[in-house]
Amino acid sequence: MANTTTLTIIKPKSIQKNFHGAIINEILENGFKIKAMKMVQMTNSQAEKFYEVHHDKPFYKDLTEFMSSSPVIVAILEAPNAVESFREFIGATNPDKAAEGTIRDKFGSSITQNAVHGSDSNENATKEADFFFSKLERFNY
């Protein structure tokens, strides 16, 4: 069932600018079902572990510092072809290149501060969901 779920993180700048309600509303209006959701404050070491796949990239330090700078909202979403569908819905990583009307177009301000994270593969969606949520925190309804 890995192809039916994905993980999103509503990033710190979206929380600080009070965009999280609008983002969650758009997620639901676009057919994604929330299977788990919570607000967390990652430490820098937790952000480093979560984004360790990017540890050799030039943006890694800025990204992990940003992601641990204030609370985020994490959620497991369900939809057919969830990873691909959600990535199309949120738009390109760079908000300046994101399709008009996508989440990153509407709410992103830079490549790092691009409003939301979305899993990039079914395998990573599973790993990322397991990073934030126990089995008891996931709901089927």
Side-chain angles (χ1 to χ4, degrees), residues 54-120:
H54 299 301
H55 76 275
D56 59 343
K57 307 252 173 56
F59 59 82
Y60 176 73
K61 184 175 189 282
D62 288 341
L63 176 62
T64 57
E65 286 177 0
F66 170 62
M67 292 301 292
S68 61
S69 67
S70 72
V72 298
I73 294 174
V74 294
I76 298 172
L77 306 176
E78 181 181 68
N81 300 309
V83 170
E84 181 179 308
S85 298
F86 191 70
R87 290 186 69 77
E88 183 176 328
F89 167 70
I90 62 176
T93 303
N94 183 342
D96 294 335
K97 295 180 181 180
E100 188 175 338
T102 61
I103 293 295
R104 288 173 170 163
D105 169 59
K106 292 179 184 179
F107 303 108
S109 57
S110 70
I111 292 175
T112 303
Q113 299 180 15
N114 59 17
V116 296
H117 164 89
S119 301
D120 63 1

Side-chain angles (χ1 to χ4, degrees), residues 8-103:
T8 189
I9 303 174
I10 301 176
K11 294 185 175 183
K13 191 65 94 180
S14 294
I15 304 290
Q16 293 163 1
K17 289 186 172 184
N18 242 1
F19 293 155
H20 51 290
I23 292 170
I24 292 166
N25 190 53
E26 288 199 29
I27 288 169
L28 294 171
E29 286 180 350
N30 281 275
F32 295 92
K33 190 173 187 179
I34 296 172
K35 304 304 283 183
M37 183 169 63
K38 62 184 169 184
M39 182 177 272
V40 299
Q41 170 84 48
M42 282 190 280
T43 64
N44 190 260
S45 63
Q46 288 168 326
E48 287 173 347
K49 183 172 180 174
F50 182 80
Y51 286 105
E52 70 186 343
V53 66
H54 299 301
H55 76 275
D56 59 343
K57 307 252 173 56
F59 59 82
Y60 176 73
K61 184 175 189 282
D62 288 341
L63 176 62
T64 57
E65 286 177 0
F66 170 62
M67 292 301 292
S68 61
S69 67
S70 72
V72 298
I73 294 174
V74 294
I76 298 172
L77 306 176
E78 181 181 68
N81 300 309
V83 170
E84 181 179 308
S85 298
F86 191 70
R87 290 186 69 77
E88 183 176 328
F89 167 70
I90 62 176
T93 303
N94 183 342
D96 294 335
K97 295 180 181 180
E100 188 175 338
T102 61
I103 293 295

